[in-house]
Amino acid sequence: MTTVHESTTSSFLTAAGEVLSGIATGSTHGYWYAKNLGNAWLVKPFQRLAGLSTNDANNAAESSIKELQVVGVGYGRTGTYSLTLALDELGYKTLHTQHMYETPEILDMWNREIFTPSIESENAVLGHPDFDLIASKGFTATADLPMSLYFEQLVDRYPNCKFILTTRQSSEVWFRSWDMLTKTITTPTRYFSWMSHADTINRYYRWLFSRINEDNSYLSVPLPLPDQNKERSIASYEEHNRRVREVIPVDRLLEYNVKQGYEPLCQFLEIADCPTSPFPKTNSARSVQVQTISAMVIPLALVLFVLFYAFANTFHRQTGQTIVQWTNSKWTALMEKQSNRAMENNEETRRKRKNKNGGGKEKKKQQ
């Protein structure tokens, strides 16, 4: 029988694991953002000045357009990241929303073709994303929003593609998770909207919430974005799932709950060597919140560190002291000044008291 102590310890370890996982993933996002920013601001301008080619090393591989083989068409918070990790394990390089940090061309495509035009027209349209760009980056599968919204375009464009509809136990269970997530991820990005990648993510949230809630006011309201409309969100979730079942042929669709493990996936994708390792379970609301904050804070911290390091070196050359030495000397001088002032004040107080007492005695003699 599980004791209260064991239950508390287990909960603590689970929470700690989620936080550490979030920091690790967020750090990766921050690294990729810093790398892409450095490439755009430093490497490519230098290559242009030097007359060198600015093409990526893998452009040759990208020139031959590939096709998507598997697309997860479930809404977010239905186990899409666990599905992503499982598909990766099965040999499919899978694009999840989180991976768009690593491929700025894809994120920029969504922003340029879909998010920004929707915000400018105040109408959250689906539009026509460049799916071939995603395939050209080596991805053979996708999962999560926004790609899951485009199943009607994808089913015709990639006739050999298979689709996986991830679902939860009920619409109520899905909404509770979805509502918690949206509140978790929008608060950090609100305070970092001055950073370019955070602004792009905010644009994505505006567009996505407008689609899910069928309410274009999300496109223009001030941050933070309003809470999700429960009735409209659930109606959107259920209608999406119904439409997926209606549009996608039965032999190309797997309706799936991640609790079922690898076996249904292997059968559907005709994979004989099915993994025996535990099915991945990740991406809790707490983990996602830590990821979001880490992805914003870590690049900023790195920039501040570099600036401080440069300032400290310049300061040392100019003054012959480190910042710590200079601070200590100033602090010591300030303390000595305060101490001397206090001694002078005490001496002045004693002098005044002595004069006052002496004046009193003189008056008594005169009387």
Side-chain angles (χ1 to χ4, degrees):
M1 185 174 179
T2 303
T3 65
V4 174
H5 175 72
E6 290 173 338
S7 177
T8 302
T9 302
S10 177
S11 298
F12 172 78
L13 291 175
T14 300
E18 291 172 350
V19 170
L20 291 175
S21 173
I23 292 174
T25 305
S27 300
T28 303
H29 294 169
Y31 162 75
W32 280 104
Y33 174 70
K35 178 182 177 182
N36 295 329
L37 197 62
N39 188 50
W41 288 7
L42 299 175
V43 177
K44 288 190 175 181
F46 175 78
Q47 288 176 332
R48 293 190 189 97
L49 288 174
L52 301 175
S53 173
T54 59
N55 293 332
D56 294 335
N58 59 352
N59 272 0
E62 294 175 8
S63 61
S64 57
I65 302 299
K66 303 175 180 63
E67 290 191 355
L68 294 175
Q69 300 174 26
V70 181
V71 173
V73 290
Y75 266 21
R77 306 313 295 166
T78 60
T80 58
Y81 196 61
S82 293
L83 175 63
T84 296
L85 298 179
L87 290 174
D88 282 337
E89 179 69 20
L90 296 175
Y92 297 93
K93 184 181 178 182
T94 307
L95 175 68
H96 189 273
T97 302
Q98 296 186 37
H99 297 155
M100 289 198 292
Y101 283 99
E102 304 170 16
T103 48
E105 297 91 346
I106 294 177
L107 184 59
D108 289 345
M109 179 274 291
W110 282 105
N111 187 38
R112 181 180 64 253
E113 301 294 336
I114 308 299
F115 307 152
T116 297
S118 294
I119 292 172
E120 291 177 348
S121 65
E122 298 185 0
N123 183 27
V125 297
L126 275 178
H128 297 278
D130 187 354
F131 303 123
D132 287 342
L133 172 65
I134 297 172
S136 74
K137 295 298 179 181
F139 293 103
T140 56
T142 69
D144 199 29
L145 300 158
M147 279 292 288
S148 59
L149 297 177
Y150 291 86
F151 61 92
E152 294 192 58
Q153 296 182 31
L154 293 166
V155 72
D156 293 327
R157 185 175 189 85
Y158 302 112
N160 297 319
C161 182
K162 292 188 174 183
F163 298 85
I164 300 172
L165 175 61
T166 46
T167 58
R168 297 294 291 265
Q169 298 93 313
S170 68
S171 300
E172 286 285 341
V173 171
W174 169 79
F175 178 77
R176 285 199 298 270
S177 182
W178 171 252
D179 187 48
M180 181 182 298
L181 173 75
T182 56
K183 291 175 180 177
T184 296
I185 59 181
T186 54
T187 300
T189 55
R190 169 195 178 190
Y191 295 110
F192 290 90
S193 58
W194 51 274
M195 299 174 70
S196 61
H197 68 303
D199 179 63
T200 301
I201 297 300
N202 276 325
R203 287 172 174 266
Y204 168 52
Y205 293 153
R206 286 184 179 278
W207 174 85
L208 180 62
F209 294 174
S210 296
R211 294 293 309 182
I212 300 297
N213 293 273
E214 298 181 353
D215 182 358
N216 284 326
S217 67
Y218 284 93
L219 295 169
S220 56
V221 295
L223 297 174
L225 296 176
D227 292 343
Q228 304 295 292
N229 183 299
K230 181 177 180 179
E231 182 178 343
R232 290 183 178 180
S233 294
I234 289 179
S236 174
Y237 170 77
E238 293 178 344
E239 174 59 21
H240 172 84
N241 292 350
R242 185 198 68 79
R243 185 64 178 158
V244 165
R245 299 182 187 109
E246 179 180 80
V247 170
I248 300 177
V250 176
D251 62 329
R252 297 174 62 190
L253 176 66
L254 171 66
E255 190 162 342
Y256 176 70
N257 188 303
V258 293
K259 292 182 178 180
Q260 295 175 270
Y262 277 112
E263 191 62 32
L265 288 177
C266 293
Q267 291 180 3
F268 179 63
L269 299 174
E270 300 177 357
I271 296 175
D273 188 15
C274 201
T276 57
S277 57
F279 194 84
K281 181 182 179 182
T282 185
N283 224 34
S284 67
R286 181 188 289 111
S287 176
V288 172
Q289 183 179 36
V290 175
Q291 289 173 29
T292 306
I293 295 173
S294 300
M296 307 298 165
V297 170
I298 290 175
L300 178 61
L302 289 174
V303 170
L304 292 177
F305 174 78
V306 171
L307 292 176
F308 178 78
Y309 183 78
F311 171 76
N313 279 319
T314 302
F315 185 88
H316 185 262
R317 286 196 299 268
Q318 294 294 326
T319 65
Q321 292 180 304
T322 66
I323 293 177
V324 173
Q325 291 171 336
W326 181 85
T327 302
N328 286 336
S329 66
K330 293 299 180 181
W331 177 257
T332 301
L334 178 62
M335 290 298 98
E336 290 178 352
K337 184 176 181 181
Q338 293 289 344
S339 177
N340 292 336
R341 183 176 296 175
M343 292 176 61
E344 291 174 358
N345 289 339
N346 290 336
E347 183 65 27
E348 180 68 17
T349 300
R350 285 196 296 269
R351 186 181 63 78
K352 288 181 178 180
R353 286 177 179 173
K354 184 176 180 181
N355 291 339
K356 183 177 180 180
N357 291 336
K361 291 179 180 179
E362 187 68 27
K363 287 181 179 179
K364 286 182 180 180
K365 289 180 179 180
Q366 292 177 357
Q367 292 176 354

